[in-house]
């Protein structure tokens, strides 16, 4: 189904790595975090361009060249890179940067910030470094929020969430905080239109295959989008993952891929 596959942010990040590797063939290019949550793409970049993926800057020699991934990076990591004289190329997606700017602006206005997202995801680590905020993953977390109910509150979100789940959490926030600032979700266009594409065929398919990595948030949300409507859906990395039992008696299969999988 269309649209599917790489989003503009991921394409730009991969091109950034390739451009640097070609421009500096005698240097090792380090990449902080997987540039894209897809192990096939990672392997290809390692084999073809000999780039090295790291999770911590301490794994990189002083003065080396490093790319920060599209998911966004917290300010303390930029500060550490500066201290270590690392040559940073920032591949943060502009839509993630927009969320960072919103967070900083709300903090400046003295508003309590609630971030809707998945704990531990790289994008959440980057966003939570921008200002003091409270993370919620579901409506139960909203109930537990330790913020004065009449305080000015605003929410921001991870860019790769399920539209459906996020709406429920937004509603819970509106019910709990009468002074909720006019806020809207930050789910990016690439995530939204891939979920909408699944919805547009949901009544015509017996099951859905999503090509993507376990670690890819937007791929997993595509699986959930179908499952929430009672359609079996499976995340696969390649055709080898398809089980013959899945296709028994099946007439029509939907196939799509997350924003971190090549088209
Ligand atoms: Fe940017 Fe959305 Fe792609 Fe993330 S999924 S890199 S926010 S376009």
């Amino acid at each position: 189904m269309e649209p599917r596959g790489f989003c503009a942010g991921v394409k730009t990040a991969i091109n950034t790595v390739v451009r640097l590797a070609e421009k500096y063939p005698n240097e090792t290019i380090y990449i902080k975090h997987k540039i894209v949550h897809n192990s096939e793409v990672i392997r290809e970049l390692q084999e073809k361009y000999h780039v090295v993926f790291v999770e911590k800057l301490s794994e990189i020699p002083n003065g080396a060249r490093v790319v920060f991934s599209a998911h966004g990076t917290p300010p303390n990591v930029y500060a550490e890179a500066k201290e270590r004289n690392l040559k940073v190329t920032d591949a943060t997606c502009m839509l993630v940067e927009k969320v960072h700017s919103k967070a900083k602006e709300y903090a400046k206005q003295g508003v309590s910030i609630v971030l809707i997202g998945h704990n531990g995801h790289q994008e959440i680590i980057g966003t939570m470094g921008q200002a003091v905020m409270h993370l919620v993953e579901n409506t139960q977390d909203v109930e537990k929020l330790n913020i004065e109910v009449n305080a000015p509150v605003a929410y921001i979100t991870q860019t790769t969430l399920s539209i459906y789940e996020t709406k429920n959490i937004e509603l819970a926030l509106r019910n709990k905080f009468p002074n909720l600032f006019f806020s809207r979700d930050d789910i990016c266009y690439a995530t939204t239109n891939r979920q909408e594409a699944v919805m547009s065929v949901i009544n015509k398919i017996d099951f859905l295959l999503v090509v993507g990595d376990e670690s890819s948030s937007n791929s997993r949300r595509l699986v959930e989008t179908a499952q929430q409507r009672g359609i079996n859906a499976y995340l696969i990395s390649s055709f080898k993952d398809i089980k013959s039992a899945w296709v028994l008696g099946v007439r029509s299969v939907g196939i799509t891929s997350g924003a971190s999988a090549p088209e």
Side-chain angles (χ1 to χ4, degrees), residues 7-10 70-71 93-96 123 159-160 188-191 218 259:
C7 60
V10 163
H71 310 94
C93 176
M94 56 188 281
L95 299 175
V96 174
E123 185 183 322
T159 56
T160 51
C188 74
Y189 188 56
T191 299
N218 68 68

Side-chain angles (χ1 to χ4, degrees), residues 16-239:
T16 302
V17 172
V18 170
R19 188 174 43 79
L20 280 179
E22 287 176 347
K23 191 168 176 193
Y24 303 102
N26 299 323
E27 284 185 40
T28 302
I29 308 293
Y30 292 86
I31 302 167
K32 166 93 176 44
H33 193 67
K34 290 176 178 173
I35 195 84
V36 45
H37 286 157
N38 185 301
S39 37
E40 291 291 321
V41 177
I42 297 291
R43 190 164 44 239
E44 221 176 284
L45 287 171
Q46 283 168 323
E47 284 171 5
K48 200 163 170 195
Y49 299 101
H50 310 292
V51 297
V52 176
F53 291 90
V54 298
E55 286 302 325
K56 292 187 196 131
L57 294 190
S58 56
E59 298 168 61
I60 307 176
N62 284 353
R65 205 170 284 282
V66 58
V67 179
F68 287 170
S69 78
H71 310 94
T73 302
N76 63 313
V77 178
Y78 287 91
E80 187 186 345
K82 195 170 173 204
E83 220 167 84
R84 303 264 323 279
N85 290 323
L86 299 177
K87 300 179 201 85
V88 175
T89 303
D90 191 354
T92 304
C93 176
M94 56 188 281
L95 299 175
V96 174
E97 273 174 359
K98 208 170 129 199
V99 182
H100 292 182
S101 305
K102 271 172 78 176
K104 286 185 269 199
E105 187 52 39
Y106 286 142
K108 218 194 301 173
Q109 293 176 31
V111 172
S112 297
I113 305 168
V114 177
L115 169 63
I116 306 174
H118 297 288
N119 197 7
H121 188 279
Q122 193 63 22
E123 185 183 322
I124 291 303
I125 296 169
T127 302
M128 290 195 77
Q130 308 301 320
V132 174
M133 59 187 80
H134 305 258
L135 178 66
V136 295
E137 296 191 271
N138 47 45
T139 51
Q140 290 89 331
D141 288 347
V142 173
E143 280 165 34
K144 288 184 231 150
L145 274 174
N146 191 14
I147 304 174
E148 160 60 39
V149 288
N150 289 315
V153 175
Y155 68 86
I156 52 176
T157 76
Q158 190 175 332
T159 56
T160 51
L161 297 180
S162 146
I163 311 169
Y164 177 79
E165 291 285 341
T166 307
K167 289 231 173 314
N168 289 336
I169 301 172
E170 285 168 347
L171 194 64
L173 285 168
R174 289 195 191 287
N175 287 339
K176 179 159 178 160
F177 300 106
N179 291 329
L180 192 80
F181 254 51
F182 172 75
S183 311
R184 49 165 307 206
D185 71 65
D186 302 290
I187 302 173
C188 74
Y189 188 56
T191 299
T192 309
N193 63 17
R194 279 156 186 70
Q195 288 177 25
E196 284 171 352
V198 169
M199 285 306 295
S200 70
V201 297
I202 206 81
N203 294 325
K204 300 181 198 144
I205 56 174
D206 295 318
F207 82 94
L208 177 74
L209 290 175
V210 179
V211 184
D213 217 74
E214 266 296 320
S215 56
S216 161
S217 174
N218 68 68
S219 302
R220 291 175 60 173
R221 302 296 84 80
L222 290 172
V223 170
E224 287 169 12
T225 298
Q227 287 172 340
Q228 276 150 0
R229 272 84 186 172
I231 297 289
N232 285 333
Y234 305 95
L235 189 61
I236 56 168
S237 296
S238 86
F239 69 92

